[in-house]
Structures are given as C-alpha cells and as structure tokens.
C-alpha cells in the first residue's frame, strides 16, 4: 500500500471538472461546514470538497484519485459520532459529499422495497415509505440530517433495532463504487439469494474504507396501525429485563422499542426543557416501551395494560403511564430523544456507545458506575439507551461546578476503565456508531490477530493504494 499524497493543483483541477465548478469547493472558508463535526471534537482540513451527482461522477473521481493517490473521505449528513466523515488536518484529503445523490429511484409496495440514492436523508425515506402505506423502521435522533449512505456505511442502529434490526438487516442490495472506479450494481431486491459470498455485507459497516455506497435497496414493512406506548418506573435495571420479556410475551413479540432512562436523566430533562415526566414520585430508573403491529386498532393497548398489570403484581414496576394520544406518545419520545441535548446543559460529558449481552446489563451498569466514581469523584453517570439490544449509551456528566476541559481531559482514562468492563462481560466497545478515528487504536485489543489480518487483506484487495479514508477504522 503506497501512502496517499497531497494532490497537485492540476489534479484538483481535473477532479473539479468532473463535478463542475459550482459543485466543488476549494476555498478554505467555504469548506468549513464539511470539515468539522457537530460536537467539534474533530476539525480537519481538505484540498477540496467535491459534490458528485451520480455514480458515474463518483466513479470518474475515484479513477483519478486512485491513479494519482489522492486520499478520499466520503461524507453524507455529517452526523457520524466517531469522526470517520471528517478529513485529517493534513490538508491532503478530498472530501466527497454524497448529498447530491438524492433521488428516490423506485418504491415497490408489492416487493416491499425502496431503491434510493446514498444522499437521500433517512427522514425522506421514512416519508416516502409512509406515502406508499409502508414503514421504513430505521429511526434515530439525527434522522432529519443523516443519509442512507451514512446509515449503511456505519450500519446504524437506533430505537427500533429490537423490533426490525439494524441498517444491515434492512438492506437488500447496494450499488458501490470501488476505489479504482469500477461500479458494482448489486441493487438486488431478493430476500433469498444464496449464490456465493454476500458482498453487500462487506460494505455495510465498513465506514467508507472499502468503497463508496451510491445507492441501496431497502426493505419496507406494513405500517403499524396499532400501537401502545408506556413509561414505567422500576427500582433497578434487573427489573427492566423481565419487563422486556413480559412485554414481548404478552404482545406476541411486538416490542418495537424499549429504552432505559435513569432518574438523573429525567431530572436533567425537567431542569433544561419544558418536558415533564407523567409519573408521580421519582423512581431510580424508567423504562419507555412501545409495542406496534399491523393488527386491529386497540389490541395492543389492551396487551400493554395487561403487561403493566402483571408487572405491578410481580413488583417489577412501581408506577406507569400509558400514552392515551399521539401527543402524549410524542412527548414520551421527545423526553428520550432530548437526553443528549439536556446533558449538554450540564457541562462536559464523556460518552460511550457500548453493548453487552442482555443478561450482563445490570452488572455492567453497576461496575462501570463504580469505576467512574472511583476515577472522578462526583462525576455523574447518565446511562441510557436501547436495553432490548443490550446497547447502553454510557454517558457521564462532569461533577457539578468542575472545569469542563479538565473533566474532558480524562476521557481516555475513563473509556479504558469502561471498555475493560465491557470486554470482560463479553460486550462490544462500539454498539452502533462504528470505529472511525475515535476507537481505531482499540482495534488491536478488541480484534484477534486472525480477525485483523482478514480485515487488512480485504482492504488490500479492495483498496490496494489505500486512498479510501486513510487512518480510519484500521490502525
Ligand atoms: P456521515 O456522518 O456523513 O458519515 C459517517 C461515516 O459513513 C463516515 O465514515 C463516512 O465516511 C461514511 N459514509 C457516509 N456516506 C457514505 C457513503 N455514501 N459511502 C461510503 N461511506 C460513507 N447512530 C446510530 O447508529 N444510532 C443512533 O441512535 C444514533 N443517534 C444519533 C443521534 C444524534 C442526535 C446524532 C447527531 C447522531 C446519531 N447517530 C446515531 C450517529 C449518526 O447519525 C449515524 O452514524 C448515521 O448513520 C450517520 O449518517 P451520515 O449520513 O450523517 O454519515
């Protein structure tokens, strides 16, 4: 693998000509929005930002980049959480923004499929599905801005994985441009296709390091006509797990989301937003649960009532409120979705996106909280997230009145302690956000030599010159 080089002005000129001057940015100041991510954790530099319009332009750019060894960084909605979409600060890299590949090519209600280009926003896909009386269930806080290309490249998760699976499970086919410019049209819409290696799965979750995704066929579901949502108070995470299984059992496997929220999260919400918990006395933990399905209206409301009644009897919950209108349901979800924002108002926060087997969640929460308190007395863990997937966002707010920068300077120490516990419990240090730049140096710890060698070999075959995202994912 030869090291990528700073592109010569003539090379930049050739690249700009492919997309046209109005779709290229070469002035440093105008590039700014593409060079920093939302938390300002990474701020890079670039030789140019190119905005191709179709797979053919992507292909022509990559052909030249491969020949001239120009490093390329793909970017969709720039909402990624591990810095993969931001170029390094060398100024040698070219950012390729995919947002102009924004056509919904086809929606087929009989096949339950939708074919979209990589730059279409997740919300646009959800809306197109709804217009065809179907559901595209992928759902996450950034859905108004993130793109399908970014969702597939990071194998995004979100709140409905417990019911429908992650981005990988929702993808039937992909169109990818390889590092040397060849276009692979893998836009199949088959649910069964055992004809050799499933190549689409190599690109999903590869964070742009193996190829640029230009389009995808996604799978659709019947629109849920019946739905019930409740917030329940529980004394500890141990009680949340039987509640999940109870809800799934009574609803016939219809739990489409189940989230855990700690008391401190509700306190932050009530302090920094107009939202209020519908429950009376404060409880140590809360579980937000939703069941949904295509059956007759009202059935799942009854199932939810039955489930909560049984949970009271078994002393799993101490209080509960079922949303009786769409506005009440929305307000419960707004509470959950505002957690990151309200945490910001409490000063610096150190964040982790981890997963452990479901049965290990209580032990993980106990041990990680104790470890953080030992390292930084007064630090305030705010662990919340997708408890049905074993995926906890183990966020920690700074001690009250502490200096935010001094607290954030402990990020590495804290992460090491948290990750040690995750790995000991058989978990993953990145449940849904990916590796990018943030977790790259953990790869030798989390992957065996055989696994790392296979990943390197794949990279060598698909991107022998190492032009795609140098320094990301692989150490
Ligand atoms: P970008 O940020 O632009 O890029 C992300 C990565 O994908 C980069 O490595 C980039 O190079 C690569 N990439 C982008 N487009 C392509 C392409 N076409 N081909 C190849 N590579 C490409 N994530 C979750 O999984 N679950 C959540 O619940 C969740 N909640 C979030 C909530 C908020 C408020 C925010 C800001 C982010 C959240 N995220 C979540 C993270 C983020 O939204 C997802 O990772 C999303 O999938 C990124 O999409 P994007 O279009 O913004 O990609």
């Amino acid at each position: 693998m030869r090291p990528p080089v700073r592109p010569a002005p003539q090379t930049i000129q050739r690249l700009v000509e492919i997309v046209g001057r109005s779709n290229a940015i070469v002035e440093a100041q105008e590039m700014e929005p593409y060079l920093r991510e939302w938390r300002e954790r990474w701020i890079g530099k670039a030789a140019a930002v190119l905005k191709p319009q179709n797979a053919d332009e992507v292909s022509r750019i990559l052909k030249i980049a491969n020949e001239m060894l120009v490093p390329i960084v793909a970017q969709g909605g720039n909402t990624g959480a591990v810095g993969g979409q931001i170029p390094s600060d060398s100024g040698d890299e070219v950012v390729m923004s995919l947002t102009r590949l924004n056509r919904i090519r086809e929606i087929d209600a009989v096949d339950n499929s939708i074919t979209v280009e990589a730059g279409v926003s997740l919300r646009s896909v959800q809306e197109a599905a709804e217009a065809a009386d179907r559901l595209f269930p992928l759902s996450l806080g950034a859905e108004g801005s993130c793109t399908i290309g970014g969702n597939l490249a990071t194998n995004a998760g979100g709140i409905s994985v417990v019911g429908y699976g992650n981005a990988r499970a929702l993808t039937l086919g992909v169109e990818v441009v390889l590092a040397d410019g060849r276009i692979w049209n893998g836009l199949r819409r088959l649910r069964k296709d055992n004809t050799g290696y499933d190549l689409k799965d190599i690109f999903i979750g590869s964070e742009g390091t193996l190829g640029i995704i230009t389009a995808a066929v996604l799978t659709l579901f019947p629109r849920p006509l019946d739905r019930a949502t409740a917030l329940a108070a529980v004394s500890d995470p141990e009680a949340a797990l039987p509640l999940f299984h109870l809800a799934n059992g009574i609803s016939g496997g219809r739990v489409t989301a189940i989230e855990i929220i700690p008391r401190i999260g509700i306190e932050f919400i009530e302090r920094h937003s107009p939202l209020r918990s519908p429950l009376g006395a404060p409880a140590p933990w809360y579980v937000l649960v939703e069941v949904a399905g295509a059956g007759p209206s009202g059935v799942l409301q009854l199932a939810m009532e039955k489930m909560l009644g049984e949970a009271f009897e078994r002393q799993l919950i101490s209080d509960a409120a079922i949303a009786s209108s769409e506005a009440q349901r929305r307000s419960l979800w707004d509470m959950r979705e505002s957690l990151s924002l309200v945490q910001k108002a409490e000063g610096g926060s150190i964040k982790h996106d981890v997963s452990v087997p479901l049965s290990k969640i209580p032990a993980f929460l106990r041990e990680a909280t104790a470890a953080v308190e030992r390292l930084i007395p007064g630090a305030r863990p705010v662990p919340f997230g997708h408890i049905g997937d074993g995926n906890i966002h183990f966020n920690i707010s700074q001690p009250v009145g502490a200096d935010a920068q001094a607290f954030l300077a402990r990020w590495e120490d804290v992460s090491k302690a948290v990750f040690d516990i995750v790995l000991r419990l058989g978990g993953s240090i990145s449940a849904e956000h990916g590796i990018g730049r943030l977790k790259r140096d953990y790869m030798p710890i989390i992957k065996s030599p055989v696994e790392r060698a296979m990943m390197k070999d794949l990279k060598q075959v698909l991107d022998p010159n190492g032009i795609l995202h140098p320094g990301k994912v692989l150490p």
Side-chain angles (χ1 to χ4, degrees):
M1 209 178 278
R2 287 175 288 166
V5 295
R6 173 168 292 221
Q10 306 88 298
T11 307
I12 293 292
Q13 183 56 31
R14 284 173 71 197
L15 294 171
V16 167
E17 276 165 17
I18 293 171
V19 293
R21 186 63 191 88
S22 57
N23 297 307
I25 310 174
V26 288
E27 301 78 13
Q29 211 179 344
E30 282 178 45
M31 283 190 233
E32 184 92 341
Y34 299 87
L35 305 182
R36 53 175 71 224
E37 51 95 67
W38 48 288
R39 285 178 306 201
E40 310 249 312
R41 191 169 172 161
W42 292 280
I43 300 174
K45 291 193 187 124
V49 174
L50 303 175
K51 298 191 250 178
Q53 195 185 13
N54 50 43
D56 182 54
E57 288 184 3
V58 173
S59 158
R60 286 160 60 205
I61 291 169
L62 288 185
K63 255 186 205 139
I64 293 177
N66 195 43
E67 182 193 319
M68 307 306 291
L69 303 181
V70 178
I72 297 285
V73 176
Q75 192 175 97
N78 192 7
T79 69
V82 290
Q85 73 281 16
I86 301 296
S88 71
D89 54 14
S90 68
D92 299 346
E93 298 172 11
V94 167
V95 173
M96 186 192 289
S97 165
L98 279 305
T99 49
R100 286 182 68 232
L101 276 78
N102 57 8
R103 282 183 318 129
I104 292 180
R105 290 192 190 163
E106 194 179 353
I107 183 158
D108 191 320
V110 175
D111 284 349
N112 266 338
S113 73
I114 183 167
T115 307
V116 301
E117 293 182 345
V120 176
S121 76
L122 172 53
R123 179 161 301 149
S124 302
V125 177
Q126 294 166 344
E127 287 170 356
E130 196 170 334
D133 197 26
R134 292 289 182 273
L135 172 77
F136 182 60
L138 192 67
S139 175
L140 42 114
E143 62 199 23
S145 321
C146 65
T147 62
I148 289 300
N151 297 153
L152 266 56
T154 59
N155 186 24
I159 57 171
S160 53
V161 173
V162 68
Y164 299 96
N166 52 19
R168 185 188 302 284
L170 300 172
T171 305
L172 296 174
V174 288
E175 178 185 83
V176 175
V177 183
L178 302 179
D180 62 9
R182 281 177 297 161
I183 301 175
W184 173 47
N185 181 340
L187 293 173
R188 303 189 181 104
R189 43 172 111 161
L190 302 173
R191 276 142 222 278
K192 288 191 163 183
D193 178 21
N194 286 348
T195 51
Y197 310 134
D198 194 338
L199 295 175
K200 74 176 183 313
D201 276 344
I202 292 173
F203 298 99
I204 298 172
S206 73
E207 302 180 47
T209 58
L210 300 179
I212 307 294
I213 298 167
T214 47
V217 186
L218 307 168
T219 182
L220 301 178
F221 292 81
R223 214 150 61 87
L225 302 174
D226 195 18
R227 185 153 56 190
T229 310
L231 184 71
V234 296
S235 57
D236 48 46
E238 269 91 350
L241 293 169
L243 191 65
F244 167 49
H245 293 302
L246 188 63
N248 242 344
I250 289 181
S251 67
R254 298 278 173 75
V255 173
T256 49
I258 182 159
E259 300 282 309
I260 191 161
I261 306 171
R263 173 72 212 155
I264 191 172
I266 300 287
E267 282 168 10
F268 285 3
I269 290 168
E270 296 192 339
R271 199 176 301 154
H272 301 294
S273 85
L275 298 163
R276 295 289 171 268
S277 159
L279 302 183
W285 292 88
Y286 297 81
V287 174
L288 175 56
V289 57
E290 186 158 284
V291 287
S297 176
V299 170
L300 289 175
Q301 188 84 2
L302 291 177
M304 183 68 92
E305 285 167 14
K306 187 162 184 270
M307 185 279 281
L308 293 174
E310 202 168 317
F312 270 117
E313 269 172 36
R314 286 170 55 183
Q315 297 185 336
L316 294 173
I317 62 174
S318 57
D319 197 1
I322 303 183
S324 59
S325 65
E326 179 53 28
Q328 284 184 5
R329 171 182 174 267
R330 198 52 261 160
S331 158
L332 291 178
W333 279 111
D334 285 347
M335 285 176 64
R336 161 62 185 85
E337 278 154 18
S338 67
L339 275 168
S340 291
L341 203 64
V342 294
Q343 233 198 313
K344 222 174 183 177
E346 290 284 328
S349 46
I350 295 177
K351 303 188 175 201
H352 305 94
D353 158 46
V354 299
S355 64
V356 290
L358 262 60
S359 59
K360 306 286 185 197
I361 292 173
F364 166 70
L365 289 171
R366 239 185 348 260
E367 291 184 34
T369 300
V372 166
E373 279 163 2
R374 265 196 310 276
L375 275 173
I376 309 180
R380 296 167 296 164
V382 192
F384 64 92
H386 321 300
I387 192 165
D389 314 325
N391 177 191
I392 301 293
H393 295 301
F394 194 78
N395 293 359
I396 306 146
S397 282
Q398 65 171 70
V400 176
D403 175 64
Q405 288 316 316
F407 172 70
L408 293 175
R410 306 290 306 277
W411 195 309
E412 288 299 319
D413 295 349
V414 173
S415 292
K416 190 179 171 320
V418 171
F419 291 163
D420 280 351
I421 298 164
V422 167
L423 296 174
R424 184 159 39 75
L425 295 174
S428 166
I429 67 163
S430 186
E432 52 180 17
H433 293 162
I435 295 293
R437 291 161 82 163
L438 182 66
K439 295 177 182 171
R440 185 197 64 181
D441 295 338
Y442 286 97
M443 290 299 258
I445 302 167
I446 61 174
K447 301 284 182 196
S448 70
V450 176
E451 215 169 350
R452 273 184 282 139
M454 286 192 290
M455 288 173 92
K456 267 189 158 169
D457 288 349
L458 255 179
K459 175 77 175 167
Q460 180 64 33
V461 166
L462 289 170
D463 180 19
N465 291 331
I467 60 159
L468 296 176
H469 296 256
K472 311 271 174 61
V473 182
L474 296 172

